[in-house]
Amino acid sequence: MFMTLEVIPLPVSDIDRARDFYRDKVGFHVDIDQEVMPGMRIVQLTPPGSGCSIALGESIWEMTPGPTPAPGAYQGLQLVVADIEKAHADLVARGLDVSEPVRYSEADGATFMYFTDPDGNGWAVQEYRKRATEPLHRLLTEQAGA
């Protein structure tokens, strides 16, 4: 049985502000921005090239068991890029306040930069140079035997 992680609900205080931030500053695509059922507006955004999206919405938390996380409570969300210098330049050009890349070692996967959204949810961007020649979607297709 295959399982895919495709949507992560993200706790935010203002859906429109968060949508605009992720769309305009980070470059995510807005897949859905609508009332999916009476009283439940969902905004789903996907990073370019990703198979996993984030979902914003006040009523999301009413449908899931457990406590409702506070806006800004999520830390360590991670994006992966093949070229961190190019990604840094693109994000800075979009107006994102992102840290300079830090190379913790020469190993592939050991370079990161960081940013937070307007609520304080914390993101890391990891450089994994191997993704330039081995995109994740191709590897997953091969694993599935397609």
Side-chain angles (χ1 to χ4, degrees):
M1 172 177 65
F2 286 102
M3 289 187 199
T4 58
L5 177 63
E6 296 191 16
V7 181
I8 298 172
L10 191 66
V12 298
S13 62
D14 182 318
I15 294 172
D16 291 324
R17 179 180 70 173
R19 178 205 56 212
D20 294 351
F21 172 83
Y22 284 105
R23 181 192 61 209
D24 301 339
K25 303 252 183 200
V26 190
F28 287 15
H29 178 263
V30 178
D31 303 315
I32 299 167
D33 184 352
Q34 65 186 34
E35 188 174 67
V36 295
M37 63 181 69
M40 178 183 253
R41 177 182 173 210
I42 298 290
V43 176
Q44 185 170 316
L45 303 105
T46 305
S50 180
C52 188
S53 304
I54 59 171
L56 315 172
E58 291 116 2
S59 301
I60 292 173
W61 307 109
E62 295 168 12
M63 298 177 64
T64 55
T68 299
Y74 282 18
Q75 300 300 313
L77 296 159
Q78 190 164 312
L79 300 167
V80 177
V81 298
D83 181 341
I84 205 160
E85 296 297 334
K86 181 180 181 318
H88 184 266
D90 289 349
L91 293 171
V92 168
R94 290 178 158 280
L96 182 65
D97 183 14
V98 60
S99 72
E100 291 293 323
V102 176
R103 188 169 308 278
Y104 294 101
S105 81
E106 290 304 314
D108 194 13
T111 302
F112 290 83
M113 60 186 173
Y114 306 93
F115 69 90
T116 58
D117 73 9
D119 285 299
N121 292 302
W123 291 80
V125 181
Q126 176 189 32
E127 179 182 69
Y128 192 44
R129 297 182 300 273
K130 193 172 191 175
R131 285 292 172 252
T133 57
E134 295 183 22
L136 187 58
H137 64 84
R138 185 182 332 142
L139 295 174
L140 294 174
T141 301
E142 290 170 5
Q143 286 178 1

